[in-house]
Amino acid sequence: MTAGPPSQTAAPRTPDATDSAAASRPGPVVRVRAGRIRGTEETHRQRPLYVFRGIPYAEPCVGPLRFASPRPVRPWSDVRDATTFAPAFLQSGAPDSSEDALYANVWTPDPGGRRPVLVYVHGGGWQVGAGSVPTFDGAKPAAVGGLVVVTFNYRLGAFGWGLHPDLADPDTGRAANWGLQDQAALLAWVRDNAPVFGGDPDNITLCGTSAGAVTARLLTAAEPTRGIARRLIAISASRPWAPALSLTPEDAAAAYERLAAELGTTVPGLRTVPARALHDAWLRLFDGPPARRLLGSGREYRGPVPDAATWVGEEPVLPDVPVMSIHNRTEGSFFTDPHSVSLPAAPPAPGDLTELRAAVRDVLLKCTAEVGDDVVDGALDAYRKSAAADGRPVDPYSLWTEVWGDVVFRYQIVRLAERHALRGGTPQYVMEFAHPVRPPHAGTPHDATSKFLFGSHALPAFVDQFGDGPVERRISDVFVDLVASFARDGVPSSPDAPAWPEYRPDGPSALVLGGPGVARVDFPAKLDQLRYWDAFDWLPGA
């Protein structure tokens, strides 16, 4: 559910339907189903790359098509320019973001080849982010991994993640989760157009981080998209459960009714409200501490709402494809690091036991409506004992960070991996990403993985935190090796990593990536402290 600084948003452009001048400019031209596009020829590590940016994969969902299911792109007759990114979808901190943003980007080593395709779904708590940010530049996994890499934008916030029967699409009948519908449309677009970029439409791997991993997991299991993606890489994929990360259907409907009342219109009339006004009203509705809000769910994020028509149910999804499940060792430090440039800013760190108890209670209230003193004190006791036994810090900041990362992310991820190992019918490989960030930052935070999968740890915005020495470059190369080999044939491997077995909860079978030794096979870390949450049914339906 990651967020990022406004400076990471790509420069916008106005995507014209056609560009007659593009026909006379140099650059590779390919024909997607809707028409010809011209990209750029580039290099990475002296390897050739062909890059196509800002390709429409659906009609703009604006005006009457706001809250509509995505429509196929209308064909164009000339050569369309595909050399610059389209705007990010409308979001805070990005003044040039736009409601017209359903565009994809493709990096390919050879448009004439037949290579595995990696479709990457960006995170951002279903509120911010874009496939065009420099963090997710597809050059390295394309050039080094030999993959066709696809990134894209989808609808966010009030425009993408909600439900109301009065917003039913007249053609599809769907009235919810428009961002998920966008992702499904993109996946079908990739299947239909992969060959023109040198990709194999029968060998697509769906990969996502955080919010993007949650919905990638849903798409691999959903009937309308089942079979398009042959493999899943889920990075920091918690569950979209209410009240923490999702609205209940009742609260979602109430949210749009409250928005309509505030903006002086009906629920269907929200289609005519200026986009920025609707966006701002949505943020106001969920402002402030969860306990003081008008709605009880959507406490931390507002993601997929349970709805049979858009394939979101109450039970945890066990995909029927091979899975690579990845988590970070210290997921919570993304949210508690006062030195991070990521958004939102970290709240004040607790300085003593009284402040620690209050801070832990606030974290737990993101996930449940009531928290007793016994739960808070029991958690702190369990975490303090686990840290002391391992020789880890027991100061208030460290304990707060561990609880945050576990209750929102790591507990769900590890227990779902165990569930898949015991009940699933497909191979699963579990990775704990453990490479520590540099001081004054701490731990291995949520979304550290994307910096190494895409090689963006070396960017000026990230290098002070993540580093760019020989160890970091080697870890990034190994990460790309593992993902690329998994995308090729379902078995992850690297010359610089030990053999990675399928995951078994009863033995050391997780690949721990990071640190001076680069990679080793072991148990996931800090399992003792996770056991505290088993008594509370913290993962419903597991």
Side-chain angles (χ1 to χ4, degrees):
M1 273 54 79
T2 54
S7 62
Q8 291 301 300
T9 302
R13 69 166 177 85
T14 301
D16 301 318
T18 61
D19 185 353
S20 58
S24 61
R25 291 199 291 266
V29 175
V30 299
R31 180 182 289 276
V32 295
R33 290 199 173 188
R36 292 178 295 164
I37 57 173
R38 183 182 297 278
T40 60
E41 187 171 350
E42 304 173 11
T43 60
H44 181 85
R45 291 191 181 179
Q46 300 181 327
R47 296 178 173 98
L49 275 182
Y50 304 87
V51 187
F52 303 85
R53 300 174 171 91
I55 314 164
Y57 69 86
E59 278 294 288
C61 291
V62 299
L65 293 183
R66 181 185 290 173
F67 304 120
S69 299
R71 303 297 198 263
V73 177
R74 286 175 292 178
W76 56 85
S77 58
D78 215 327
V79 178
R80 183 182 182 109
D81 181 72
T83 61
T84 55
F85 290 118
F89 191 85
L90 185 69
Q91 59 193 264
S92 298
D96 296 318
S97 56
S98 171
E99 191 178 5
D100 176 7
L102 301 187
Y103 298 87
N105 318 293
V106 180
W107 289 258
T108 177
D110 179 10
R114 191 173 176 86
R115 298 171 182 267
V117 181
L118 183 75
V119 176
Y120 184 79
V121 190
H122 74 78
W126 302 287
Q127 300 175 94
V128 298
S132 53
V133 299
T135 308
F136 312 131
D137 187 299
K140 180 168 185 174
V144 176
L147 304 173
V148 175
V149 178
V150 181
T151 68
F152 66 104
N153 303 339
Y154 53 89
R155 280 175 279 184
L156 303 172
F159 306 86
W161 304 98
L163 176 153
H164 199 286
D166 290 351
L167 298 175
D169 186 291
D171 292 345
T172 67
R174 293 173 182 159
N177 298 324
W178 303 280
L180 186 63
Q181 294 185 57
D182 294 342
Q183 294 177 15
L186 179 280
L187 199 54
W189 181 88
V190 171
R191 175 198 60 200
D192 294 343
N193 291 282
V196 306
F197 298 109
D200 183 351
D202 297 320
N203 194 7
I204 297 171
T205 295
L206 191 56
C207 176
T209 299
S210 194
V214 172
T215 49
R217 182 184 289 271
L218 294 173
L219 289 169
T220 56
E223 187 61 37
T225 45
R226 182 179 294 138
I228 297 179
R230 303 290 298 275
R231 300 174 189 90
L232 169 67
I233 302 174
I235 306 173
S236 298
S238 187
R239 277 202 60 209
W241 91 102
L245 307 181
S246 175
L247 290 164
T248 64
E250 296 77 15
D251 279 352
Y256 287 103
E257 289 161 9
R258 290 184 180 277
L259 291 180
E262 177 183 342
L263 296 169
T265 186
T266 62
V267 171
L270 291 172
R271 292 188 175 95
T272 65
V273 171
R276 186 64 67 174
L278 179 57
H279 167 78
D280 293 345
W282 179 263
L283 294 183
R284 288 194 296 272
L285 182 60
F286 296 100
D287 194 21
R292 300 180 187 174
R293 296 179 192 160
L294 296 172
L295 302 173
S297 59
R299 287 174 168 245
E300 180 71 348
Y301 295 111
R302 272 68 63 193
V305 179
D307 172 63
T310 44
W311 334 304
V312 182
E314 299 284 356
E315 287 295 305
V317 169
L318 292 183
D320 58 0
V321 297
V323 176
M324 184 185 291
S325 175
I326 303 173
H327 64 273
N328 294 280
R329 174 165 290 181
T330 321
E331 293 276 352
S333 59
F334 177 93
F335 303 92
T336 64
D337 182 1
H339 307 286
S340 176
V341 297
S342 299
L343 299 175
D352 56 29
L353 179 58
T354 300
E355 292 179 356
L356 175 60
R357 293 178 79 252
V360 167
R361 185 186 304 276
D362 286 345
V363 172
L364 299 182
L365 284 172
K366 298 173 184 293
C367 306
T368 186
E370 297 180 1
V371 179
D373 290 343
D374 58 330
V375 177
V376 173
D377 293 337
L380 288 175
D381 183 58
Y383 275 66
R384 194 177 287 111
K385 288 178 178 177
S386 175
D390 291 347
R392 293 183 283 111
V394 295
D395 61 280
Y397 173 81
S398 297
L399 295 176
W400 174 55
T401 297
E402 290 291 344
V403 171
W404 191 317
D406 284 358
V407 300
V408 181
F409 293 98
R410 204 171 65 98
Y411 180 81
Q412 280 70 254
I413 296 165
V414 172
R415 291 294 183 259
L416 279 174
E418 292 169 352
R419 189 176 194 265
H420 188 111
L422 296 173
R423 307 184 200 176
T426 58
Q428 179 192 211
Y429 300 89
V430 169
M431 176 195 294
E432 178 173 282
F433 190 73
H435 193 64
V437 293
R438 294 182 171 185
H441 309 281
T444 306
H446 184 74
D447 199 36
T449 45
S450 62
K451 316 305 188 296
F452 290 84
L453 174 56
F454 291 95
S456 53
H457 61 90
L459 292 176
F462 300 132
V463 69
D464 287 346
Q465 182 174 5
F466 296 97
D468 185 34
V471 172
E472 285 80 16
R473 291 192 289 271
R474 189 178 174 203
I475 289 169
S476 179
D477 288 348
V478 171
F479 205 161
V480 171
D481 284 345
L482 296 169
V483 166
S485 55
F486 182 71
R488 277 194 297 273
D489 59 22
V491 180
S493 64
S494 170
D496 293 317
W500 186 357
E502 292 185 30
Y503 183 61
R504 311 186 317 272
D506 61 349
S509 53
L511 185 79
V512 179
L513 181 61
V518 178
R520 69 182 191 278
V521 173
D522 203 342
F523 288 97
K526 301 176 293 188
L527 293 177
D528 283 349
Q529 65 195 38
L530 294 184
R531 295 189 183 98
Y532 177 75
W533 305 107
D534 290 336
F536 298 97
D537 193 25
W538 203 254
L539 182 60

